[in-house]
Amino acid sequence: MFKFKFLLWALTKLLQRAVKNEPGCAKYVKGKELVFQIQTMDGIGRHFRVKDGAVSSSAGLAQAPKFTMTFRDAAKGFAILSAKDGKEAFLAALHDEDLVISGDFVEVMWFQGLTEYLQPGKKPAH
């Protein structure tokens, strides 16, 4: 559980650093307003806010997120989010129902684009 919570907190810091240090990432989030959350089926999680060209997060769940990524449990969430082969891990988790995504899929796809800025040495083509 602790590793999952720490990973979600660290995700915020990584996104903040990408926005600050990568001009393409700063441009990607500029003008975007979005609240989403990542949680476990038993309701442990964190919500994230993209607003005014910045990323922030808070422990706990949001009232009305645009989308929610719900993992079966904290161990599965940690394993999937920290997997080296991220896209394959997500697809396998969706197939195995270890991950359920609900809400606005257009925003989910936008978030996938944002996470590409976290890949070392990769520059997304947006």
Side-chain angles (χ1 to χ4, degrees), residues 46-68:
R46 190 168 195 90
H47 65 277
F48 299 78
R49 175 171 283 109
V50 179
K51 186 176 180 179
D52 299 328
V55 178
S56 62
S57 75
S58 298
L61 305 180
Q63 291 291 342
K66 284 287 194 174
F67 71 87
T68 300

Side-chain angles (χ1 to χ4, degrees), residues 56-84:
S56 62
S57 75
S58 298
L61 305 180
Q63 291 291 342
K66 284 287 194 174
F67 71 87
T68 300
M69 296 170 40
T70 304
F71 292 95
R72 181 176 306 278
D73 55 39
K76 289 282 186 190
F78 180 81
I80 294 161
L81 289 171
S82 62
K84 296 255 185 270

Side-chain angles (χ1 to χ4, degrees), residues 13-67:
K13 298 302 178 193
L14 291 170
L15 289 170
Q16 289 169 339
R17 186 171 66 194
V19 168
K20 180 180 175 185
N21 296 331
E22 295 282 341
C25 186
K27 183 178 178 184
Y28 192 72
V29 300
K30 184 178 181 184
K32 185 71 174 175
E33 192 165 330
L34 171 67
V35 174
F36 65 94
Q37 64 194 18
I38 301 174
Q39 68 178 60
T40 61
M41 286 189 181
D42 60 357
I44 303 299
R46 190 168 195 90
H47 65 277
F48 299 78
R49 175 171 283 109
V50 179
K51 186 176 180 179
D52 299 328
V55 178
S56 62
S57 75
S58 298
L61 305 180
Q63 291 291 342
K66 284 287 194 174
F67 71 87

